[in-house]
Amino acid sequence: MITLEILSGAQRGARREVGEASFTIGRAPHNSLVLPDAHLSSEHGQIFREAETYIYKDLRSTNGSRLLRRNGTLLYVDATHSFEVTLQDGDQLLLGDPVEPVVLACRLGNAALLDAAPLPPPGGGAVTMPAIQLGRGPAAGPVAPAGPTPAAPAEAAEPDTSRVLLRRPLSEAEEVADKALRDPALATVLLGASKRLGRRGLELNAVFEGIAEAIFELVPLCTHTAIELSDGPEGRMATVFGAMRRPEGGAGKDAKDEKAGKAEARAGQSTPGLAPVAAVPAGGAGASSSPGIAPIAAGGGPAPVRASRAVIRRVLTERAAVLVANAPQDLAGAASIMGARIQSIIGVPLWDGEEIRGVIQCDNRASAAMFRERDLEALLLLAGQAALAIENARLLQRLRLAQEQLRVENRYLKSRDEKRRAIEPIGGSAAMREVLRQVQKVTDTRATVCIEGETGTGKELIASLIHYQSGRRDKLFVAQNCAAVPETLLESELFGHKKGAFTGADGDKKGLFEVADGGTLFLDEIGEMSLGLQAKLLRVLQEGEVRPIGATQTRKVDVRIICATNRSLEKEVTEGRFRQDLYYRLKVYPIRLPPLRERREDIQALCEHFLRKYGSEMKKAVAGFTPETIAQLSSYNWPGNVRELENEVHRLVIQAEPETFITPELLAPRMRQAEGIVDRIAPAKGPLKDMMEEVERFLLIQALRDHGGNKTRTAETLGITREGLHKKLAKFGL
């Protein structure tokens, strides 16, 4: 006598006692046990008796049959077992749909009916099964990693109470591959999955979908899959993709599945820099291009199915693929298992040689003990191909980002070059005419130019003028302030470095000498460079080659050097702070930029230029400067030179009312100190030139009196050279 109790399906709760020697099970009315569930075949299976033994035979049904032993072992009633399996007391027959099978509990003789909770409907509770620990002996302890291993998930730790049915360490991957080659059926399925993955191309989202397709093809009883990847410098793991098997009946087969998927998606997170597939559940607009999978999405946007923390931890720690047959019991206390209602689960490392790049999770959320050894080994082999496909896709993604960044940088450099080309020195004073004459002489030579001048006199402007008037104008003009970068970083900036040359050198970097190859390198504040770097710079100037930090070979460069300093390099050499040999190499052609106080006749032109510049930027029309304002600005000594003047005009444009003139009252207090002198000395009316000369003459006389006629001290006070003082005295007949 055999008793069958229907634990799930349309006839759930029914019981049938069978005394016949043979009876059939199926959808058709002529069967001994009629089960009207749509996913069963017309004649699905047969139970017959041989002596005292009952045997179940699958009648080549469309969706197949499985047998779940009381100890947790799952048997597939397929060609491997000649479609027959011996029944034992307490067995469960799982018929039809792998996600929602019809379950028959078997009682033989007078034994008590199997005390197992019926399978819940979708969205219900979990199947209770006895704990098992089978396979190749007890679960192994942690294995020391042979290569880089991602860090454990940065989430609240779950208790590691897992018991594993099967495990395959990465060290056995070659053995598993040999075994697969001896199984023609498995080899064929693996080849088909590999081809399917290869056809997906190199778009990251398409690769993720291709992996999910291959998983569902290799493991027919898998209902959900998730991919975890390590990302960031610390190698933290995060779910980047999740998918569920698309129901065969279309989007309307079970609305509960869709709701459950969305609920799971709400708990998911995506990783920065790794875009999950942009799709919606089955049946919605923009659904996945794959007919067999439904990527999980929530709120109209992509979100992954979260992988189990406990399984990931086991995979990473043991560097092995693991199979847990009864997840609710064997992973007791794992919130990710209970929350997602996972019943059976496989976790395999995404491996590339000895390196683990992530984890693939494959699970069944309907029944326990759904997976077997063949599934575990097939996924382990697929994971090796998947890791390579993901890495190629991520590499392509990074390459595209780098190309886009390069395009942005090129646009910026071109726009900056265009602005620099358009800039010309302002002013027609004799001092500036002499500077421009010197520039014209040295423009088309290879001579090293050393520009000397106080801070703010426009040394970089003159350097760029030399470059853009030379034959190197179509190459880059690169500027570097030697005082703005710490000594430890300046060497890397100038000469570059190789990956791993020092802490933080995560990749190769070109130095400015290589960037400026064929063009001009402007080294501002050269006097601030350390003696050690001076020696390396001297070698570049002598040999025309650079060697990046950490490199073993030099690289030829063709760079014109223009340097600038606000210090006296002669004095620096005398005091031992600057190399004499480098000094002679740099000062081949010196150009001195006069301070603004030595070319006061340019102040008005500069003021008008800056007024137009900032008025245009601010879309503010200012009428101009009153003569009194210009006279007062011209009498100021401008210790910050042109830069100080530009900043003052910028402030004045902000402060002035539209369509009005800038008056002396708006000037900074330090500039209004000369107001009384101007009012007392300058003529009330007349040309601006005459007013300025009167003020200048008065200041010269006053300074000579203050120093008792000592011309050296007078020149120092006024900030001019002794020769410049003599010229001015001669001009005014003093």
Side-chain angles (χ1 to χ4, degrees):
M1 174 94 45
I2 182 171
T3 302
L4 300 176
E5 181 174 353
I6 304 174
L7 301 183
S8 72
Q11 304 278 7
R12 179 178 176 175
R15 181 180 298 186
R16 172 76 183 273
E17 294 183 356
V18 182
E20 301 99 283
S22 175
F23 66 95
T24 58
I25 303 170
R27 261 186 316 110
H30 63 266
N31 289 288
S32 306
L33 177 60
V34 179
L35 299 174
D37 301 82
H39 50 79
L40 296 185
S41 299
S42 297
E43 291 187 356
H44 199 94
Q46 178 185 14
I47 296 178
F48 59 92
R49 187 174 64 225
E50 288 185 354
E52 300 299 321
T53 303
Y54 282 92
I55 297 172
Y56 173 79
K57 181 176 183 178
D58 184 270
L59 299 177
R60 308 297 178 93
S61 63
T62 302
N63 294 318
S65 306
R66 280 78 59 198
L67 182 75
L68 181 63
R69 297 291 189 197
R70 197 165 186 174
N71 66 359
T73 302
L74 180 69
L75 301 176
Y76 286 69
V77 191
D78 55 17
T80 307
H81 301 92
S82 301
F83 294 95
E84 294 183 1
V85 63
T86 302
L87 295 176
Q88 300 176 6
D89 185 55
D91 285 348
Q92 294 184 31
L93 284 169
L94 286 71
L95 310 180
D97 185 40
V99 179
E100 300 177 26
V102 175
V103 181
L104 307 180
C106 305
R107 182 188 69 179
L108 303 181
N110 294 322
L113 191 66
L114 176 66
D115 186 17
L119 284 177
V127 177
T128 304
M129 292 190 56
I132 54 175
Q133 189 164 342
L134 306 175
R136 300 188 178 183
V143 179
T149 301
E155 299 186 11
E158 298 177 356
D160 191 9
T161 59
S162 59
R163 289 178 286 182
V164 175
L165 175 64
L166 289 172
R167 62 185 297 276
R168 293 289 184 272
L170 284 181
S171 57
E172 296 181 8
E174 186 174 348
E175 176 186 334
V176 172
D178 292 339
K179 181 180 177 182
L181 291 175
R182 294 192 297 271
D183 185 344
L186 178 58
T188 301
V189 176
L190 277 170
L191 180 61
S194 178
K195 289 181 178 179
R196 186 184 294 259
L197 180 58
R199 289 195 296 268
R200 282 290 185 166
L202 289 177
E203 293 293 338
L204 193 58
N205 293 342
V207 170
F208 288 151
E209 281 199 9
I211 294 171
E213 275 187 339
I215 290 171
F216 291 138
E217 184 177 351
L218 286 175
V219 188
L221 295 183
C222 172
T223 64
H224 296 74
T225 186
I227 299 174
E228 289 251 332
L229 294 181
S230 62
D231 193 45
E234 298 181 0
R236 293 291 180 184
M237 299 289 294
T239 306
V240 297
F241 180 85
M244 60 183 290
R245 186 186 294 275
R246 191 184 301 276
E248 292 183 1
K253 182 182 179 185
D254 198 339
K256 294 182 180 180
D257 285 346
E258 183 174 339
K259 292 180 180 178
K262 289 183 177 181
E264 292 163 355
R266 292 189 187 101
Q269 297 177 352
S270 60
T271 302
L274 297 172
V277 62
V280 297
S288 166
S289 59
S290 172
I293 66 172
I296 301 297
V305 178
R306 297 211 41 190
S308 166
R309 307 292 93 182
V311 172
I312 292 173
R313 189 178 300 108
R314 175 67 72 119
V315 171
L316 296 179
T317 303
E318 299 187 9
R319 297 179 59 80
V322 299
L323 187 157
V324 180
N326 185 8
Q329 184 163 325
D330 293 344
L331 298 175
S336 54
I337 295 292
M338 307 306 293
R341 304 182 302 280
I342 296 173
Q343 304 298 311
S344 315
I345 189 168
I346 295 176
V348 296
L350 279 162
W351 57 280
D352 182 6
E354 296 295 325
E355 184 177 356
I356 296 178
R357 302 188 183 278
V359 175
I360 291 178
Q361 174 179 303
C362 171
D363 60 70
N364 186 296
R365 305 192 179 188
S367 302
M370 286 288 100
F371 303 129
R372 52 183 174 169
E373 182 180 15
R374 181 180 179 183
D375 299 328
L376 181 75
E377 295 177 344
L379 286 177
L380 180 61
L381 297 179
L382 176 68
Q385 301 178 50
L388 181 61
I390 291 173
E391 186 61 22
N392 288 338
R394 294 176 76 177
L395 182 62
L396 178 63
Q397 190 178 66
R398 289 194 293 269
L399 180 61
R400 287 174 174 172
L401 289 174
Q403 288 176 333
E404 179 60 27
Q405 184 178 358
L406 185 61
R407 282 195 293 268
V408 172
E409 291 176 352
N410 283 339
R411 285 197 298 268
Y412 167 74
L413 289 173
K414 287 180 179 179
S415 68
R416 190 179 66 175
D417 280 355
E418 290 174 358
K419 291 179 181 178
R420 281 176 168 167
R421 290 173 190 267
I423 294 176
E424 294 285 344
I426 306 297
S429 64
M432 284 307 299
R433 289 198 303 271
E434 176 61 22
V435 169
L436 295 177
R437 189 178 68 83
Q438 296 295 330
V439 167
Q440 291 174 357
K441 285 184 176 181
V442 79
T443 292
D444 287 321
T445 70
R446 295 180 58 88
T448 302
V449 179
C450 182
I451 304 173
E452 300 173 322
E454 297 179 5
T455 299
T457 52
K459 295 186 287 293
E460 184 172 346
L461 172 63
I462 297 301
S464 65
L465 184 66
I466 294 172
H467 171 77
Y468 290 113
Q469 289 187 358
S470 73
R472 298 173 179 262
R473 67 178 65 89
D474 294 327
K475 299 294 183 179
L476 286 180
F477 173 81
V478 180
Q480 175 63 53
N481 189 330
C482 299
V485 182
E487 180 184 345
T488 53
L489 297 179
L490 185 57
E491 182 178 1
S492 174
E493 286 294 315
L494 293 177
F495 308 117
H497 64 251
K498 301 292 289 184
K499 181 180 180 180
F502 50 84
T503 302
D506 299 325
D508 293 351
K509 177 184 176 179
K510 280 188 177 182
L512 296 183
F513 273 97
E514 289 188 78
V515 173
D517 192 15
T520 302
L521 177 60
F522 173 59
L523 299 176
D524 198 8
E525 306 299 346
I526 189 74
E528 303 290 338
M529 186 178 290
S530 68
L531 290 171
L533 279 181
Q534 290 176 30
K536 295 182 178 181
L537 176 61
L538 179 64
R539 177 174 177 81
V540 176
L541 295 175
Q542 291 176 337
E543 306 296 335
E545 57 187 25
V546 296
R547 185 170 69 182
I549 302 173
T552 58
Q553 295 181 338
T554 59
R555 301 174 184 177
K556 286 286 186 181
V557 291
D558 176 22
V559 178
R560 182 179 190 175
I561 299 295
I562 300 177
C563 67
T565 179
N566 61 1
R567 295 184 178 185
S568 172
L569 292 185
E570 294 91 338
K571 185 178 179 181
E572 295 294 303
V573 171
T574 302
E575 296 180 358
R577 292 190 295 266
F578 202 86
R579 293 178 63 100
Q580 188 176 42
D581 47 3
L582 179 60
Y583 168 75
Y584 291 126
R585 290 286 303 188
L586 293 176
K587 209 167 182 178
V588 175
Y589 195 89
I591 295 178
R592 179 183 176 273
L593 278 185
L596 189 55
R597 60 183 174 272
E598 293 184 11
R599 56 184 187 108
R600 296 179 187 271
E601 53 265 49
D602 294 334
I603 291 177
Q604 183 174 1
L606 288 167
C607 287
E608 292 172 351
H609 168 74
F610 295 134
L611 181 66
R612 289 192 298 271
K613 174 183 176 182
Y614 292 109
S616 176
E617 286 184 5
M618 300 172 61
K619 295 181 172 56
K620 188 176 185 180
V622 180
F625 299 88
T626 64
E628 295 80 9
T629 305
I630 293 295
Q632 200 159 325
L633 289 172
S634 300
S635 65
Y636 180 64
N637 268 343
W638 299 107
N641 294 291
V642 179
R643 185 181 296 120
E644 184 184 5
L645 175 62
E646 180 178 2
N647 293 336
E648 176 65 14
V649 174
H650 191 182
R651 187 190 64 80
L652 290 171
V653 172
I654 296 172
Q655 193 171 353
E657 296 294 331
E659 308 296 339
T660 63
F661 284 90
I662 296 175
T663 60
E665 291 77 16
L666 298 178
L667 297 177
R670 66 183 184 279
M671 297 171 190
R672 291 202 304 268
Q673 291 177 357
E675 185 175 0
I677 298 174
V678 174
D679 291 341
R680 189 171 68 253
I681 302 302
K685 295 182 180 179
L688 175 64
K689 184 174 181 291
D690 293 342
M691 291 190 289
M692 291 173 56
E693 287 181 350
E694 284 296 326
V695 172
E696 188 175 6
R697 184 175 185 278
F698 173 82
L699 294 174
L700 286 171
I701 294 172
Q702 192 66 43
L704 283 169
R705 288 175 180 175
D706 292 342
H707 295 289
N710 189 307
K711 295 180 181 179
T712 301
R713 290 201 298 269
T714 299
E716 291 176 354
T717 300
L718 295 174
I720 59 178
T721 64
R722 186 179 172 88
E723 290 78 10
L725 177 62
H726 278 291
K727 289 181 180 179
K728 291 184 179 296
L729 293 176
K731 175 182 176 182
F732 295 110
L734 298 176

